[in-house]
Amino acid sequence: MFIIVKLKLYIIGLLLLISFICTGILVKMGKFSGFDKWLSSIIHHKRSSFLTPIMKFFDFIGSTYFVIGICLAILFYLYFVTKRRLASVLFIVAMIGERLLSEGLKYLFSRSRPDGFHLVEVDKHSFPSQHAMNSFVLYGILLFLLWTHLRSNKIKVLLSLLASILILVMGFSRIYLGVHHPSDILGGYLISALWLIIIIIYTGHYKEENKMPN
């Protein structure tokens, strides 16, 4: 990994960390309440008999049980089919780390769910959004693992666009369903991006020390 690339990753990671800390402090102080209510109100006015089933579908594919099933299938493919041992370990670390981060931060902030009608059942605390983190880390680590082995730039761009859309729609669905504040989604995205940057930096160091090809 080139020095310039490393430096950029460290800078991005630092900015993400600062952004998440600032977001968390503002959430604790209640400074996001006006923004959250404003944006939630706009999104809730978009509710319809057409959109609601679609948003509930995204609730399902972002659920813990579904994500676990997807992860097991991906691990099977990485370890037994492609024989990519390092990729398998990175994937496990990424997903388990995301889960621990989510649970720990929810306990730390102990933020209540939004008031009003929830279109799906939820429990526990609100900040940061676990669904947002699940989707960001899952699709983000997959994109990273695929990116290093794909040669076609068009496919890379297409997969990046698809992953971005899935992540954004997942976040939108949580607000639409009334179970998260917009700032919960923001917090989930920021900490997930930071976690992925840490994994990417570590991967670069590991490959350099072990003289592994990119």
Side-chain angles (χ1 to χ4, degrees):
M1 197 182 290
F2 296 107
I3 295 176
I4 296 178
V5 174
K6 281 185 182 179
L7 182 60
K8 286 181 178 179
L9 288 174
Y10 280 119
I11 292 173
I12 293 171
L14 180 60
L15 291 175
L16 287 169
L17 177 60
I18 294 172
S19 298
F20 178 77
I21 291 173
C22 291
T23 300
I25 291 173
L26 292 173
V27 164
K28 270 292 190 181
M29 295 174 63
K31 298 299 183 180
F32 266 109
S33 58
F35 169 78
D36 284 336
K37 290 178 181 177
W38 169 74
L39 185 55
S40 294
S41 176
I42 292 175
I43 294 175
H44 292 169
H45 276 91
K46 302 295 182 181
R47 286 174 174 171
S48 67
S49 58
F50 171 75
L51 275 179
T52 298
I54 297 175
M55 297 299 104
K56 287 185 176 181
F57 171 74
F58 276 92
D59 172 71
F60 169 70
I61 65 173
S63 64
T64 299
Y65 292 115
F66 185 86
V67 170
I68 289 175
I70 291 293
C71 287
L72 290 175
I74 292 170
L75 272 176
F76 179 86
Y77 180 78
L78 287 174
Y79 193 85
F80 292 105
V81 179
T82 65
K83 309 295 184 182
R84 294 176 64 187
R85 306 295 191 258
L86 176 59
S88 302
V89 172
L90 288 174
F91 186 79
I92 293 172
V93 170
M95 297 312 298
I96 292 179
E98 175 268 319
R99 183 72 184 195
L100 293 175
L101 272 173
S102 174
E103 293 293 338
L105 290 170
K106 279 180 179 289
Y107 177 79
L108 176 65
F109 287 94
S110 299
R111 191 185 197 187
S112 300
R113 296 280 179 175
D115 296 328
F117 182 65
H118 300 165
L119 297 183
V120 291
E121 292 185 7
V122 287
D123 55 10
K124 299 183 181 180
H125 302 298
S126 185
F127 182 89
S129 166
Q130 190 169 74
H131 274 66
M133 291 183 66
N134 280 343
S135 61
F136 200 109
V137 174
L138 175 59
Y139 300 127
I141 191 65
L142 280 178
L143 194 61
F144 171 65
L145 294 176
L146 287 170
W147 191 275
T148 56
H149 283 72
L150 291 173
R151 295 182 179 180
S152 172
N153 289 329
K154 290 183 179 179
I155 295 178
K156 287 181 179 181
V157 171
L158 181 62
L159 288 176
S160 299
L161 182 60
L162 178 61
S164 299
I165 291 173
L166 287 171
I167 291 168
L168 290 173
V169 173
M170 181 62 73
F172 177 86
S173 72
R174 305 312 288 163
I175 305 169
Y176 179 97
L177 295 170
V179 295
H180 274 295
H181 307 280
S183 50
D184 297 335
I185 309 302
L186 174 61
Y189 287 164
L190 289 172
I191 195 64
S192 296
L194 174 60
W195 178 232
L196 285 177
I197 287 291
I198 291 172
I199 290 175
I200 292 170
I201 291 173
Y202 171 78
T203 303
H205 283 304
Y206 182 86
K207 286 184 175 182
E208 281 185 350
E209 290 177 0
N210 292 275
K211 308 299 181 181
M212 295 176 66
N214 291 324

